[in-house]
Amino acid sequence: MSGNAFPVDDDRPDVDDLEGENRWTQLAGKYWGSSAKSRKVKDEVIKNEIWDVLENEGFPFRSLLILESLQLLESYLWPGYNDLSTNYHVLLIALIATVKNRENLRVWDIFANDGERFSSLFRRVLSMSLDNSLSVTIRTHILSFLICAFQSLDNGLIRRECAPLVSISIWQNLASEATRERKFEEHPQLKKAWRAAARKFDSGDESTQAKLRFDRAWLYSLLLDFIGRLRESTTDDVIYCERFLEFLTDLESQLPTRRYVNTLIKDLNLLALIRLSLMFKDGENGLFRDLFVLLRHFVHFPINDNTGIQHIQVQSYEEHCAGLARLQRVSLKKFKEKLTILALSNYAAIDKREELEAHLGPLSDSELVTLADLLGFRTKYPPASKVEVGRELLLEMLLSAHECRRTFRETMRDLSILPTETALYEPALLRNEHYNGSRSLAIPKLNLQYLSVGDFLWRSFVLYRCESFFEIRKDMEETIKRLQPQQTQLPNRIRFDGFSRMAIPISKPAIIEAAPPKVGHDKPAFVRAEIGLDVSKLAESVRGEWESLRQDDVVYLLAADPVESSRNLTNGHAAQATSRDFGIRFLRAAEVEQVLDDDGRVIRDLPDDTVTGYTRRPRLRRLLVKLDTAAYKLDTARKSEGQPDVYESINLIIRRKGRENNFKKILETIQSLALSDIPVPDWLQEVFLGYGDPTGATYTKLPNRIDELDFRDTFLDWKHLLESLPNRAIEPTATPKSHIAPPYILQGITTTSSDPPRPSKKRRRDDVEVSQPVQQPIKVSTYQPPNNGPYPTDAPKTNQIRFTPVQVEAIMSGSQPGLTVIVGPPGTGKTDVATQIINNIYHDFPTQRTLLIAHSNQALNQLFQKITNLDIDERHLLRLGHGEEDLETDASYSKYGRVESFLSNRSQYLAEVDRLAANLEAPGAHGNSCETAGYFNSVYIMPAWSKFWDVANAMDTSTSDIVSSFPFHQYFSNAPQPLFPPESSREQILDIARGCQRHIERIFTELEDIRPFEILRTQRDKANYLLIKEARIIAMTSTHAAIRRQEIADLGFHYDNVIMEEAAQITEIENFIPLALQNPRNDLSPLQRVVLCGDHLQNSPIVQNLAFRQFANLEQSLFLRFVRLGVPTIDLDHQGRARPSIAELYRWRYPKLENLPNVLTETEYLRANAGFRYEYQFIDVPDYKATGESQPTPHYFQNLGEAEYAVAIYQYMRLLGYPASKISILTTYAGQRALIRDVLGHRCARNRLFGLPRLVTTVDKYQGEQNDYIILSLVRTTRVGYLRDIRRLTVALSRARLGFYILGRRSVFETCYELREAFTKLFKRPIRLLLTTGELFPASRLLGDEVEATEMTGVEHLGQYVYEMTKAKIESLKAGGGALPAVEETPEMMKMDGEVIEEEEEVEEDIDGVA
C-alpha cells in the first residue's frame, strides 16, 4: 500500500480469489467462513497468519481487498474484539475499515450497535497513533483511519469520539497565557467555554481527568511529532507527512474542527516550519509542496473562526493592516534606531516579502527573538519537535504573518479556464489520473460542511476544472492515437495515416485581428483567426457535424507529433509524463464564431443547395474562431524572445461532442458566482453550509409560514382528507359538517397549542426532544369553484390521484415557504407529488414564478408532461434547452415555440373578438389587433355587461327577464345548448352568466398579454420578454442552468421557487447554480421555496475519474449532504409500480416501503407472465464458447453469452405475443449495450416477428424509467465490478413492473457481502430459466398457480427452442394464409434507424474505472 502502482482491474480479486484454494480463502473457511467450526478469535491467527503475512508483503492492496471481501471485519475481527484484544487485532480493524471506506462502502454501520466497544477501540487507535515504536507505514494506515473518521462527523458514533479531540481544551497547549487571553479579548464568549471545560476537568474523577488530559494533548502531540519528522527524507516519512497534511487540511476546512485547531496551528508557526523543512525543499516531493499550498489556503481563509462569517475584501485588508500597524508600533517603541523607516512607511511599502525582509535585516538574532515575542509569536518549542529557533525561522514567521497574500478570489480569477498543453499535463493533475488511495492528493474535498459559500464555490471550481481537463486530455490522446501521426521526409511536416471523425488536419491558422487590451487589462480584448477545413474527403454525416458547430463551441488547435510506440497504448500516466510523450507539442483552445463555406457565406444561413437532384460536394469550409487571449499573450512574448511561433506549427483541429464540451461556460458561471457574492437566501444559508439547526430551513421554523392554504384538488373527497391527516384533528367550518366536498381550504396547518420548548444552548442533532407541543385542530372550509364558461374546454383539469398521507405531507410542506426534501423510493410517485406542489403554488400564489430543474432532459420531460395535464394555463409554461422536442405533447413549449403559440392564439382570439362584435352589431375592425380589441372591450363589452348586471341584480327581475337581457346569446350559440336550461334557478342562471363573463374576460386578458408580441420586432426580444415577464413555470436541465446562468440573470429573470427532480443525481455545484440563477434584490435573494425530490439510495452523479469520485467526493449531491446533515426528510412509503414480489428484491433498502392497493388488486399484477414459470428469476449463464466476460478495450466489458441469452428471451417473449414496447433490455456496461444492440440488429431488427424492444440501455441511463418487463445483463464473470455499489443495484432491481429476468454468474454475486440481501432472495429460486408451454400473452394463469415447466440448460438450448418456435410460427402463418405483423415502432427502433454507421468505433468508457 505504500507503493504508487496503479491498480488496474486485473489487480483486483476475482471469483478464483474468493473461492479458490489460496491462503486467504483457506484461512476464512477455517476460522470465520460459513464452514468454520468456531469463530472464536485466536490471537496467534491474527498475528502469525494474517498480520505478519500482510506486513512482510508490504500490505498489498489486493490482499486487503480479498480479506475485506471475505468479510474478515464483519465476521471475525469486530465480533471478537474486546478490551483485551491485541494491538494487531486493533490495527487490522482499522486497516480493513479504511479499505472499505476507499471502496465507498458503508463502514460505521458495522460498529453502530455497540457504542461502548467502539469507543474502546477508537481510544486504542488514538493511543497507537502516538506510538513511536510502530513503523511509519503502520502509523500512516492509522492516520488514514482517523481521516475517514473525521470525514464522517455526521455519524453520532464518530462525532462523540472526535469532537473532544478538537475542542477548546487543546488551547491548553498554546505558547502562553497571553496568547489565549488575546483570543478571549477578541471573542469574549470563548472565555465561558474555556471555564466550562476547566470545570468539567476539575469535577471529574481520576479516570475522567486522564481521558480529558489525553484528549487535549493528542493533537498537539501529533503536531510535534509531525514537525520533528519534517527533517526526514525517507519515502515512508514523506508519505506519512503527506497524509498528515491531508488530515490537517480536513480539520481546517470544516468550521467545527477548525474553530480551535486553526489557532493552535498558527501558534506553532506550522506553515513557516514546513516551508523551511528539508522535506519541502526536496525537489522530488512535489505532492508534499502542493499539499502545503492547499493547507495554507485554508489556514489563511478569510473567515471568523468563531462566528463562521466570511470576511469581505475590506475586512480582510483591515485585518492585514492591523497586523502591520502592530508591527510598526512595536518597531517604533522597541527598535526605533533600526526600524524607524519600517515604522513610518505606508502599508503598501512594507507588506511585500522582499521589502519587509530588507527592513528587518539590521536586527540581530536576539532582537528578532524579542520582536517575535512582543508580537505574540511562539519562540520556544518542546524537545520532541526538534525545532531550533534560528534567524531563518524567525524571519519566515514574521514575513509569512505580515506579507500581503492573494485572496482565494484573486487566485481563482487568474486560473485558466481554457486548456493548454502545459495546463493539461501539470504534475498535480497527472497525479489525479493514477490515484489508487495509497497517497494523498492535493485537491480540495467536498465535505459535509463548508466555511462559506465562497469556499464551496472555490472548491467546486478547482475540482470541476480538474475533471474537465482530465476528460479533455483523455479525448486529445485518444484522437491522436487514432490519427497515427507520422514524420515525413520534409522537416516539420507531419502526415496522418489514421482517421478520426473528431479531427481534421489543417495548415496553420491565419491571425486576422488582435484587438488592443481593454482598460485595466494586459491581454488582448480578442484575437480572431481563420482556419481552413478540407472537408472534401469526409462522409456527409461527418461533414454535417463539423458544419453544425455553434457559436462559442470550443475547438482545440494542436501541433501534433509522432507518438513513441512505447507510449502509444499507455492507459495511465507517469507523474513525469509530458504532452510530448503523447504526441502533443502545443495545444491551444479557441471558440467558434462562424462556419463559412468556400465563398464566405455563413453555413447556417445557406438554403438547400440542390439543383435537379444533384448536390455539389463541398471542398472547403472556413472556421472563424477567437483564440485564447491569455495564451496568445504568452505566445507572442515567447516569440519575441526568439522561441518558436506556436501558431506556425499548428497542424490539427479537434472538436468534442457537444454535451461533453460545455465546460467553459460552466466554469465561467462558477467563477462569476464566486467573484460576485451572489447570496444564498438568509433562511437557507446556515443549513446549506452545514451549521446550526438542520431543521432551521423547514417551514415550521420560519416566521413567514402560511397558516391557511387552498389545497384545491389535492384531496379527492372528505374521506381522503381524513385519511391523509391521521394524526390531526379535523374541524369542518361548514354545515352540514359530515359531507363537505372539495376543494378544501385548510387553516391552522402550522399552529400549536403552546410555545415550543426553549432549545438548549448546547444542542446535538442526535439529542432526543423530551416533549412535543400538542397541535391544534385543522379547520377545513370549502367553496364553490368559479364557473369558467359554458364550453367543455373551460372546465378545469383536476387531479385524480389518491395521494397517501406521506405524499400529502410532502405536498403540504412543498406548498409552504422553506426547504422541503422528499425522498422517493422507486415507484412511490415523487414526480406526481412534485407536480401537485407546482399546481398548488401556481394557483395559490399567482404572482410567483417557479423554476423546475432536473438532471436530464428525460426526467424533465416526464415532469413537464404531467404538468401539462393539470389546470395550468399553457401560456405560463416554458421549457428551455434541448430536449423539448421529445415532449409527447401537441404544443411546443420552447421559447420560440411559445412565441409562435402566442401569435397563433392571437389570431384565434381576434376571431373571437370579431364574433363578439357581430353579436353586438358593433361596426369597425375590432379584431384587427390586440390594441383595437382592448378598445372594443372598454367601449362595447364592459358597458354591455354593466347593463346586464343592473337588470340581473334587481330584486324584482324574473329569471326569464335575466335570460332575455343576456347580451351574448348569439356569441354563445356554439356552446352546448341550452345555454340556460329551463329548469334552472335564479342562482344557477346567474352562475352561468358569470361563467360566460369569465370566458369573455379571459379572451381580452390573454390578448392584453399577447399585445407586447405585436410591438416587439425580433424573435429574440419576444422570446426574452416571454422568459422574464410572461412565463410562470420555467423548466430546464441543471446543465442548461449552469451554461446559461449569466445570460439568464442579465435579462433580469426572477423567480420565487425552485423544484428539483432527481436532485440526488445532480452534482452539488449544479444543485447550487439554480438557486443563484437571478441577481439579488436589495442584496438579498428573493427565493422563498426550495423543493428537492430524489433518492440518495439510488444512483449518484456520474464522475468518471476515480480520484475526484472517491477522494474529492465530487459525486456528492446537495440532496445527499442534506440527508447526512440531518435535515428533515419526507420519505414516501408506498410503491405502486412493481408486483409486491419484485418489490421485495429492493425493499430491504427501504424498510418502511409498503404497497399501494393497485399492485395488490389489479389484474395485470395478479396474472402470471405467459410462458414463464416465475415472474422474476436469476439465470446463471455459463461461459459461452469457452468465454465469459471480455474486455476489447480498457473498461469496455462485454459478455457474448449473456447478450445472446438476453436477445433469445426477448425473441421468445415476442413469439408469445408480448408487445415490444413493454420490454426493455438493461445492462451494467456500455460495451454490453453495444453488443446487445449488435445482436438485435442481426437477429431482430429486420424481422417483423420480433422488431426491437422499447429500449436497450445501461442501468445508469435508465434511472427514473420503468417498463413492464426487464431483461438485465450483469456482464461480469470474474468479479462484481461497480455493481457492488448498492445504489446502482437498487436502480437495476427496481425498473420492472411485472417481469424481471436477470442474467449473470451466480458464483460472482453470491460472495458479495453488500449484495447479499437481494441475491439471497433471487437464489431461492432455480438458477436455470424455467418456461411454460401452451401459453400466449396475456396469460390466464394466476401468479400462484402451480404449473409444469421446461428447464433451459443454457443459451444454446434456449436458442434452439426459440428457433423451433419461430419456424413453427412462420409455417402456421403460411398455412393459415396470414401475414406477418407490422413492425412495432419503439424508441430503440427509431434510434437504430436514425443512427449513421460510423467509420470508426466509438468506445464509451464505463464509470467502472478501476473498480
Side-chain angles (χ1 to χ4, degrees):
M1 264 178 87
S2 61
N4 202 27
F6 182 61
V8 297
D9 197 66
D10 289 339
D11 291 333
R12 305 180 68 81
D14 55 23
V15 175
D16 292 337
D17 292 315
L18 303 179
E19 293 187 344
E21 294 301 314
N22 65 67
R23 64 183 170 208
W24 300 124
T25 55
Q26 290 177 2
L27 204 63
K30 186 176 180 180
Y31 293 111
W32 68 83
S34 57
S35 60
K37 295 180 180 179
S38 170
R39 294 188 179 183
K40 184 178 179 180
V41 171
K42 298 180 180 180
D43 292 342
E44 62 273 15
V45 172
I46 287 178
K47 171 65 169 67
N48 301 330
E49 300 193 47
I50 301 178
W51 179 263
D52 287 349
V53 174
L54 290 172
E55 187 173 29
N56 291 336
E57 295 179 356
F59 302 101
F61 190 56
R62 181 186 179 89
S63 295
L64 291 171
L65 277 177
I66 293 173
L67 288 171
E68 189 279 320
S69 299
L70 292 171
Q71 301 161 38
L72 172 65
L73 177 61
E74 300 91 333
S75 301
Y76 193 63
L77 295 177
W78 177 239
Y81 172 79
N82 56 52
D83 290 341
L84 300 177
S85 296
T86 65
N87 284 347
Y88 301 109
H89 192 150
V90 174
L91 288 170
L92 276 174
I93 290 177
L95 201 59
I96 301 300
T98 306
V99 171
K100 290 184 77 71
N101 184 75
R102 277 172 54 179
E103 291 295 288
N104 205 23
L105 303 173
R106 299 177 72 87
V107 182
W108 310 116
D109 291 354
I110 300 167
F111 311 105
N113 295 328
D114 200 337
E116 188 174 341
R117 269 202 312 145
F118 179 76
S119 181
S120 164
L121 170 75
F122 198 83
R123 304 297 296 184
R124 290 187 63 179
V125 173
L126 292 176
S127 298
M128 294 169 74
S129 68
L130 301 175
D131 187 352
N132 283 318
S133 66
L134 297 176
S135 70
V136 180
T137 301
I138 293 173
R139 293 185 66 188
T140 304
H141 292 314
I142 293 173
L143 196 53
S144 297
F145 174 82
L146 294 172
I147 288 172
C148 298
F150 275 91
Q151 284 286 297
S152 305
L153 295 179
D154 55 311
N155 186 298
L157 189 73
I158 302 299
R159 193 166 57 251
R160 279 191 291 272
E161 302 302 327
C162 292
L165 304 173
V166 291
S167 69
I168 197 171
S169 299
I170 65 173
W171 281 9
Q172 196 80 33
N173 305 293
L174 295 181
S176 65
E177 189 73 26
T179 304
R180 206 161 38 241
E181 288 302 321
R182 279 198 298 272
K183 285 293 177 183
F184 293 154
E185 288 172 11
E186 294 173 9
H187 306 290
Q189 66 272 29
L190 294 178
K191 187 77 171 177
K192 294 181 180 179
W194 176 256
R195 289 172 179 165
R199 284 196 300 270
K200 183 178 180 181
F201 180 84
D202 294 338
S203 62
D205 56 24
E206 188 175 343
S207 63
T208 301
Q209 287 186 349
K211 178 180 180 300
L212 294 174
R213 198 176 291 112
F214 176 86
D215 287 347
R216 69 192 186 193
W218 176 77
L219 181 60
Y220 180 66
S221 302
L222 269 184
L223 285 165
L224 294 181
D225 176 76
F226 166 73
I227 292 169
R229 205 172 292 279
L230 291 172
R231 295 169 172 268
E232 308 297 332
S233 58
T234 66
T235 301
D236 287 344
D237 281 308
V238 172
I239 293 174
Y240 175 85
C241 290
E242 289 169 353
R243 278 286 179 211
F244 196 81
L245 287 183
E246 178 193 344
F247 174 62
L248 291 181
T249 303
D250 287 349
L251 295 181
E252 287 279 0
S253 63
Q254 298 188 95
L255 194 59
T257 52
R258 170 194 180 90
R259 183 169 282 123
Y260 307 115
V261 170
N262 194 39
T263 300
L264 180 60
I265 287 177
K266 288 182 176 179
D267 176 73
L268 284 168
N269 305 306
L270 188 66
L271 296 180
L273 290 168
I274 295 173
R275 187 165 181 171
L276 296 177
S277 68
L278 294 175
M279 193 175 289
F280 184 87
K281 294 176 180 177
D282 189 337
E284 297 295 319
N285 298 333
L287 174 58
F288 181 80
R289 285 193 295 277
D290 290 342
L291 284 164
F292 165 78
V293 171
L294 186 61
L295 174 63
R296 184 179 61 188
H297 163 85
F298 281 111
V299 168
H300 294 309
F301 193 84
I303 190 173
N304 185 311
D305 292 339
N306 186 54
T307 64
I309 298 174
Q310 181 177 322
H311 294 162
I312 61 176
Q313 189 168 358
V314 172
Q315 289 174 308
S316 297
Y317 184 69
E318 288 175 352
E319 188 176 300
H320 168 65
C321 292
L324 291 174
R326 189 158 177 259
L327 172 64
Q328 288 182 320
R329 287 195 301 271
V330 171
S331 300
L332 191 61
K333 185 176 181 180
K334 299 293 183 180
F335 307 99
K336 186 174 182 179
E337 293 182 5
K338 294 184 178 181
L339 299 182
T340 301
I341 297 176
L342 182 151
L344 299 179
S345 298
N346 61 56
Y347 295 148
I350 60 173
D351 67 355
K352 304 293 186 297
R353 178 173 279 263
E354 295 77 13
E355 287 88 341
L356 185 55
E357 186 173 9
H359 284 299
L360 295 175
L363 295 182
S364 66
D365 292 358
S366 60
E367 288 172 329
L368 280 174
V369 171
T370 304
L371 177 61
D373 282 333
L374 291 170
L375 291 173
F377 289 96
R378 179 191 287 266
T379 57
K380 295 179 181 178
Y381 289 83
S385 65
K386 305 175 185 176
V387 174
E388 297 177 3
V389 181
R391 183 178 187 84
E392 187 181 22
L393 176 58
L394 290 167
L395 280 173
E396 181 60 34
M397 287 158 43
L398 294 167
L399 296 176
S400 60
H402 296 98
E403 67 180 337
C404 183
R405 290 181 292 270
R406 301 184 73 209
T407 66
F408 76 94
R409 286 193 174 93
E410 291 171 333
T411 304
M412 188 173 172
R413 184 187 59 211
D414 294 340
L415 276 175
S416 63
I417 288 178
L418 291 172
T420 63
E421 77 284 353
T422 305
L424 290 184
Y425 287 88
E426 286 179 5
L429 286 180
L430 293 181
R431 286 191 212 105
N432 302 333
E433 188 154 338
H434 51 226
Y435 170 75
N436 66 353
S438 63
R439 301 284 288 265
S440 296
L441 291 176
I443 54 178
K445 299 177 183 178
L446 298 186
N447 293 336
L448 269 178
Q449 300 163 322
Y450 301 108
L451 300 179
S452 68
V453 175
D455 172 42
F456 162 70
L457 290 168
W458 176 82
R459 297 191 210 192
S460 299
F461 179 84
V462 171
L463 291 174
Y464 194 91
R465 177 179 178 270
C466 288
E467 191 199 20
S468 299
F469 282 16
F470 160 75
E471 292 176 351
I472 291 169
R473 184 173 69 247
K474 193 170 63 171
D475 287 348
M476 296 302 108
E477 291 175 5
E478 178 66 25
T479 302
I480 288 179
K481 187 168 71 173
R482 291 175 181 274
L483 287 170
Q484 302 172 27
Q486 303 294 333
Q487 182 69 53
T488 64
Q489 294 180 350
L490 298 174
N492 299 323
R493 292 294 299 274
I494 304 295
R495 74 171 188 273
F496 297 94
D497 292 346
F499 171 79
S500 171
R501 67 189 303 119
M502 310 305 290
I504 297 178
I506 59 173
S507 56
K508 66 177 183 179
I511 308 296
I512 299 174
E513 180 183 9
K518 295 180 180 178
V519 176
H521 293 76
D522 60 354
K523 61 185 181 183
F526 62 85
V527 179
R528 186 174 287 117
E530 182 179 295
I531 302 166
L533 305 180
D534 182 1
V535 297
S536 60
K537 298 179 181 179
L538 296 181
E540 186 176 350
S541 60
V542 178
R543 187 184 75 246
E545 292 172 5
W546 282 95
E547 291 176 347
S548 62
L549 286 171
R550 295 174 296 177
Q551 187 175 5
D552 297 331
D553 280 353
V554 178
V555 293
Y556 306 88
L557 310 178
L558 283 80
D561 287 335
V563 183
E564 296 178 20
S565 58
S566 60
R567 290 279 191 179
N568 198 32
L569 297 176
T570 300
N571 186 42
H573 301 286
Q576 295 79 22
T578 66
S579 60
R580 287 289 187 101
D581 296 325
F582 300 93
I584 303 174
R585 194 188 334 159
F586 300 116
L587 181 146
R588 296 293 178 266
E591 293 179 83
V592 174
E593 280 196 327
Q594 288 180 329
V595 184
L596 310 175
D597 69 356
D598 43 9
D599 294 325
R601 297 174 297 178
V602 179
I603 292 289
R604 285 182 175 271
D605 298 339
L606 292 179
D608 188 17
D609 188 16
T610 304
V611 181
T612 65
Y614 172 74
T615 303
R616 181 173 61 88
R617 187 177 184 84
R619 297 185 56 82
L620 182 67
R621 291 289 183 253
R622 290 193 289 162
L623 205 60
L624 292 182
V625 299
K626 291 184 294 184
L627 299 178
D628 180 359
T629 54
Y632 181 82
K633 174 178 174 287
L634 295 175
D635 292 337
T636 51
R638 280 194 290 261
K639 183 181 177 182
S640 65
E641 295 171 0
Q643 296 186 34
D645 186 348
V646 170
Y647 302 96
E648 289 286 337
S649 57
I650 295 293
N651 55 17
L652 186 66
I653 182 171
I654 298 178
R655 62 183 174 86
R656 299 173 71 216
K657 294 178 182 177
R659 64 184 178 185
E660 301 166 355
N661 204 35
N662 48 35
F663 72 97
K664 179 177 181 290
K665 289 285 187 183
I666 296 176
L667 284 173
E668 286 176 340
T669 293
I670 302 171
Q671 192 178 55
S672 67
L673 286 172
L675 299 177
S676 59
D677 279 329
I678 296 294
V680 173
D682 289 344
W683 55 268
L684 184 61
Q685 175 143 342
E686 280 199 358
V687 174
F688 175 81
L689 293 177
Y691 308 124
D693 182 1
T695 68
T698 55
Y699 76 93
T700 56
K701 298 293 183 74
L702 297 182
N704 63 333
R705 60 181 180 268
I706 301 165
D707 196 47
E708 180 177 294
L709 272 175
D710 182 357
F711 284 91
R712 298 179 60 81
D713 56 354
T714 302
F715 306 102
L716 302 186
D717 49 47
W718 180 254
K719 182 181 179 183
H720 184 206
L721 175 64
L722 295 177
E723 292 171 347
S724 300
L725 302 168
N727 298 321
R728 298 296 298 270
I730 308 295
E731 285 188 3
T733 58
T735 53
K737 295 189 176 183
S738 58
H739 298 292
I740 300 180
Y744 298 123
I745 298 175
L746 272 57
Q747 183 181 0
I749 306 169
T750 62
T751 56
T752 57
S753 62
S754 62
D755 293 329
R758 293 182 63 186
S760 168
K761 291 182 180 179
K762 288 186 69 177
R763 182 184 181 278
R764 297 176 68 96
R765 288 204 308 273
D766 48 345
D767 285 345
V768 178
E769 294 185 9
V770 176
S771 62
Q772 291 288 343
V774 180
Q775 295 173 320
Q776 294 278 26
I778 294 177
K779 295 181 180 180
V780 181
S781 59
T782 187
Y783 60 92
Q784 180 64 39
N787 187 327
N788 289 323
Y791 297 97
T793 54
D794 291 326
K797 302 172 185 175
T798 57
N799 164 57
Q800 302 299 319
I801 299 172
R802 199 172 190 86
F803 292 113
T804 67
V806 177
Q807 287 177 319
V808 169
E809 180 188 354
I811 292 168
M812 293 175 72
S813 177
S815 302
Q816 290 275 357
L819 172 66
T820 299
V821 180
I822 302 171
V823 178
T828 52
K830 59 180 177 292
T831 304
D832 293 320
V833 169
T835 304
Q836 190 63 30
I837 291 172
I838 294 163
N839 191 34
N840 288 351
I841 293 172
Y842 175 84
H843 290 286
D844 289 346
F845 309 97
T847 61
Q848 293 188 9
R849 313 177 82 203
T850 300
L851 182 64
L852 305 186
I853 299 293
H855 162 65
S856 62
N857 283 307
Q858 170 187 300
L860 192 63
N861 286 344
Q862 286 179 347
L863 180 61
F864 209 76
Q865 191 84 39
K866 294 192 174 186
I867 292 172
T868 60
N869 295 327
L870 294 177
D871 186 30
I872 293 176
D873 194 330
E874 68 173 32
R875 66 198 172 100
H876 292 142
L877 297 174
L878 181 62
R879 168 75 162 82
L880 297 181
H882 298 289
E884 186 273 338
E885 59 273 9
D886 296 329
L887 271 172
E888 298 175 5
T889 56
D890 294 331
S892 172
Y893 292 94
S894 66
K895 276 199 297 187
Y896 297 111
R898 287 289 81 210
V899 170
E900 293 302 319
S901 176
F902 266 83
L903 298 177
S904 174
N905 291 342
R906 171 183 177 275
S907 302
Q908 296 175 20
Y909 288 133
L910 291 178
E912 294 297 298
V913 171
D914 285 335
R915 287 185 59 232
L916 285 166
N919 178 96
L920 297 176
E921 298 181 349
H926 301 293
N928 188 49
S929 67
C930 295
E931 184 179 8
T932 58
Y935 174 79
F936 172 70
N937 181 41
S938 59
V939 173
Y940 290 94
I941 299 297
M942 294 171 69
W945 280 117
S946 297
K947 183 177 179 180
F948 167 74
W949 286 114
D950 288 342
V951 173
N953 292 330
M955 297 298 295
D956 57 347
T957 307
S958 64
T959 55
S960 58
D961 291 338
I962 294 174
V963 172
S964 61
S965 65
F966 184 72
F968 298 103
H969 281 289
Q970 179 183 337
Y971 175 77
F972 287 106
S973 61
N974 60 350
Q977 299 296 322
L979 184 63
F980 299 99
E983 67 279 4
S984 301
S985 65
R986 177 189 180 91
E987 189 54 43
Q988 288 172 331
I989 288 174
L990 292 178
D991 185 59
I992 293 170
R994 292 189 193 98
C996 293
Q997 184 175 9
R998 290 189 186 97
H999 178 89
I1000 293 174
E1001 285 176 346
R1002 190 161 58 250
I1003 292 173
F1004 292 101
T1005 301
E1006 298 220 9
L1007 284 171
E1008 185 64 28
D1009 289 341
I1010 295 171
R1011 186 177 177 187
F1013 295 95
E1014 287 185 339
I1015 301 170
L1016 296 169
R1017 293 303 174 196
T1018 68
Q1019 281 288 89
R1020 185 181 183 85
D1021 288 342
K1022 292 176 182 178
N1024 290 339
Y1025 177 85
L1026 178 71
L1027 172 64
I1028 62 176
K1029 294 292 185 182
E1030 194 63 35
R1032 286 180 51 200
I1033 298 175
I1034 303 98
M1036 66 185 79
T1037 63
S1038 56
T1039 303
H1040 185 84
I1043 294 171
R1044 301 295 180 190
R1045 189 262 158 198
Q1046 194 63 49
E1047 178 184 329
I1048 292 172
D1050 288 346
L1051 288 173
F1053 174 62
H1054 284 284
Y1055 54 95
D1056 306 274
N1057 316 296
V1058 172
I1059 296 178
M1060 292 192 199
E1061 176 74 323
E1062 297 291 2
Q1065 275 193 282
I1066 305 174
T1067 59
E1068 192 160 10
I1069 185 59
E1070 291 189 336
N1071 280 134
F1072 175 81
I1073 290 173
L1075 307 183
L1077 211 57
Q1078 56 188 331
N1079 292 324
R1081 295 175 179 172
N1082 302 321
D1083 295 328
L1084 297 174
S1085 169
L1087 202 58
Q1088 295 190 35
R1089 290 175 187 81
V1090 175
V1091 180
L1092 303 180
C1093 304
D1095 183 4
H1096 57 291
L1097 300 181
Q1098 296 188 60
N1099 278 350
S1100 61
I1102 294 177
V1103 178
Q1104 293 283 357
N1105 185 282
L1106 188 67
F1108 305 131
R1109 188 166 76 246
Q1110 289 190 0
F1111 182 87
N1113 204 19
L1114 189 56
E1115 68 172 2
Q1116 174 174 272
S1117 65
L1118 182 64
F1119 187 96
L1120 173 61
R1121 189 164 68 86
F1122 277 168
V1123 172
R1124 291 182 63 197
L1125 284 168
V1127 172
T1129 61
I1130 300 172
D1131 299 354
L1132 306 184
D1133 60 355
H1134 281 75
Q1135 73 88 22
R1137 171 188 293 172
R1139 296 183 193 269
S1141 57
I1142 294 178
E1144 282 296 324
L1145 297 175
Y1146 54 88
R1147 195 187 305 275
W1148 58 280
R1149 294 282 282 153
Y1150 309 97
K1152 296 182 180 179
L1153 187 63
E1154 298 179 14
N1155 298 307
L1156 286 172
N1158 68 301
V1159 301
L1160 301 173
T1161 59
E1162 291 181 5
T1163 304
E1164 65 175 349
Y1165 292 101
L1166 300 178
R1167 283 180 180 161
N1169 293 340
F1172 292 93
R1173 173 63 183 87
Y1174 297 109
E1175 74 280 17
Y1176 71 83
Q1177 196 176 356
F1178 181 94
I1179 302 147
D1180 189 49
V1181 182
D1183 286 354
Y1184 179 65
K1185 297 182 179 179
T1187 304
E1189 70 177 55
S1190 60
Q1191 194 176 176
T1193 58
H1195 317 308
Y1196 194 73
F1197 291 99
Q1198 295 182 331
N1199 186 319
L1200 181 58
E1202 288 186 19
E1204 292 282 5
Y1205 214 130
V1207 173
I1209 292 177
Y1210 168 71
Q1211 290 177 302
Y1212 173 72
M1213 295 176 76
R1214 291 290 289 132
L1215 291 171
L1216 296 183
Y1218 285 86
S1221 60
K1222 300 292 185 184
I1223 307 169
S1224 293
I1225 302 178
L1226 305 184
T1227 179
T1228 49
Y1229 290 88
Q1232 184 73 348
R1233 176 189 61 190
L1235 183 59
I1236 291 173
R1237 284 179 173 174
D1238 188 47
V1239 176
L1240 282 168
H1242 283 87
R1243 302 197 189 284
C1244 302
R1246 297 174 181 81
N1247 190 324
R1248 284 192 286 169
L1249 278 176
F1250 303 119
L1252 293 176
R1254 175 174 177 79
L1255 211 58
V1256 179
T1257 189
T1258 60
V1259 170
D1260 283 349
K1261 301 278 187 181
Y1262 207 63
Q1263 180 164 337
E1265 293 284 299
Q1266 64 183 36
N1267 210 346
D1268 287 0
Y1269 306 96
I1270 296 292
I1271 304 167
L1272 172 65
S1273 169
L1274 300 180
V1275 185
R1276 303 303 297 272
T1277 58
T1278 59
R1279 53 187 64 85
V1280 173
Y1282 80 66
L1283 202 65
R1284 193 177 184 188
D1285 184 341
I1286 54 178
R1287 295 172 298 182
R1288 283 194 171 84
L1289 178 69
T1290 304
V1291 177
L1293 296 177
S1294 58
R1295 301 305 97 196
R1297 294 180 63 245
L1298 304 175
F1300 188 30
Y1301 302 98
I1302 306 172
L1303 307 171
R1305 186 68 60 87
R1306 174 173 181 164
S1307 58
V1308 171
F1309 294 96
E1310 71 179 346
T1311 59
C1312 184
Y1313 175 78
E1314 287 74 25
L1315 311 183
R1316 179 182 295 174
E1317 289 280 355
F1319 281 94
T1320 298
K1321 292 182 175 67
L1322 288 167
F1323 295 149
K1324 287 180 180 178
R1325 294 184 172 178
I1327 59 172
R1328 288 185 175 177
L1329 181 62
L1330 295 179
L1331 305 180
T1332 58
T1333 58
E1335 292 182 328
L1336 293 176
F1337 177 86
S1340 57
R1341 172 170 56 94
L1342 296 179
L1343 200 58
D1345 292 349
E1346 290 295 328
V1347 63
E1348 291 187 6
T1350 302
E1351 181 180 277
M1352 296 292 108
T1353 58
V1355 62
E1356 295 91 346
H1357 187 183
L1358 180 60
Q1360 184 63 30
Y1361 195 80
V1362 169
Y1363 172 75
E1364 297 294 341
M1365 286 182 64
T1366 306
K1367 191 163 69 170
K1369 179 88 168 181
I1370 294 173
E1371 289 174 356
S1372 173
L1373 287 170
K1374 287 180 179 178
L1380 288 171
V1383 176
E1384 185 178 351
E1385 287 288 337
T1386 65
E1388 190 64 32
M1389 178 71 76
M1390 291 184 282
K1391 188 181 299 183
M1392 190 167 286
D1393 287 344
E1395 283 179 353
V1396 177
I1397 298 175
E1398 299 186 354
E1399 297 180 38
E1400 63 175 319
E1401 182 186 9
E1402 294 290 347
V1403 177
E1404 179 180 347
E1405 286 193 3
D1406 285 291
I1407 189 61
D1408 186 31
V1410 298

